[in-house]
Amino acid sequence: MIPLYAYVLLAAALFAVGLLGVITQRNAIRILISVEMLLNAANINFVAFSSYWGHADGYAFALFAIAFAAAEAAVGLAIFINLFRLRETVDVTALAAMKG
Amino acid sequence: MSAPTSTAPPETAKARPAEPTRTGRAAEGASRGDEGGRASLGQRNATAFRGEAGAASSRAAKSVMVLVLFAVIAFAVAETVPWYRPVGGGEDPDGVAEAIFERYVVAFEVLGVLLTAALLGAMYLAIREASP
């Protein structure tokens, strides 16, 4: 049996990698992938603790989070497709039109 | 994170290639070490890649920040999570069904509406209009 701390440490590592991707990458697609990694780290924690406590709410929340991530990825990709048609780039540092 | 390391020069934004350069990999590769030495290493390598110094030192600072975050989480886990209690035995499909379709059925329905709206919005945004 895998102990609980292994799940939590895996989720923490996945969250750290995803956060590093979000704050360092400039390609919008890579940032989307990193955001998915953040959501999946949270899902690992949901499922691990749900199984640990023998309570099914965490499974349901993880399923809802997966569906939400699908919707978010679809809308984000559509936005970036339009952005690429407009500006010929998905480099987020080049998109400073609304920068304060 | 200090301000001068976090702001890349704006003229380097478009000059940066899509793949991470050797400078960025070198700055990320050193996982343990003093931050100043890593920043100077990034900047020394960046002389070959003109205009990459600010981005490389910023990335090194962000890497250190994320490593500190992970260290804090690992320390908290080591302090609080019981070591010898394994995960398992709680799998209960009936409980999952009861959670989704009874206790959180409203959230389930709202999620269905959200998925439909996201699908319609993504289609509206992504489908190219027919050229006249």
Side-chain angles (χ1 to χ4, degrees), chain B residues 35-117:
Chain B
E35 185 179 354
R38 196 183 311 170
S40 69
L41 172 71
Q43 284 175 357
R44 211 182 322 123
N45 281 343
T47 55
F49 301 90
R50 194 166 46 84
E52 286 280 323
S57 63
S58 166
R59 177 170 295 196
K62 286 169 181 169
S63 304
V64 169
M65 201 172 67
V66 170
L67 273 177
V68 166
L69 171 74
F70 176 71
V72 167
I73 294 176
F75 180 73
V77 166
E79 284 291 312
T80 57
V81 175
W83 284 86
Y84 295 109
R85 309 242 329 248
V87 167
E91 292 81 9
D92 181 17
D94 293 345
V96 178
E98 194 257 345
I100 292 178
F101 296 115
E102 285 181 20
R103 243 173 306 164
Y104 302 113
V105 68
V106 178
F108 185 72
E109 298 292 336
V110 169
L111 192 66
V113 174
L114 172 75
L115 276 175
T116 309

Side-chain angles (χ1 to χ4, degrees), chain A residues 44-88:
Chain A
I44 287 176
N45 270 339
F46 268 133
V47 172
F49 278 98
S50 185
S51 176
Y52 180 74
W53 291 110
H55 206 251
D57 284 2
Y59 298 128
F61 282 176
L63 279 173
F64 290 162
I66 289 170
F68 175 77
E72 174 251 336
V75 175
L77 275 176
I79 287 174
F80 291 141
I81 285 173
N82 260 351
L83 207 56
F84 187 79
R85 283 180 192 154
L86 231 61
R87 304 285 297 267
E88 296 289 327

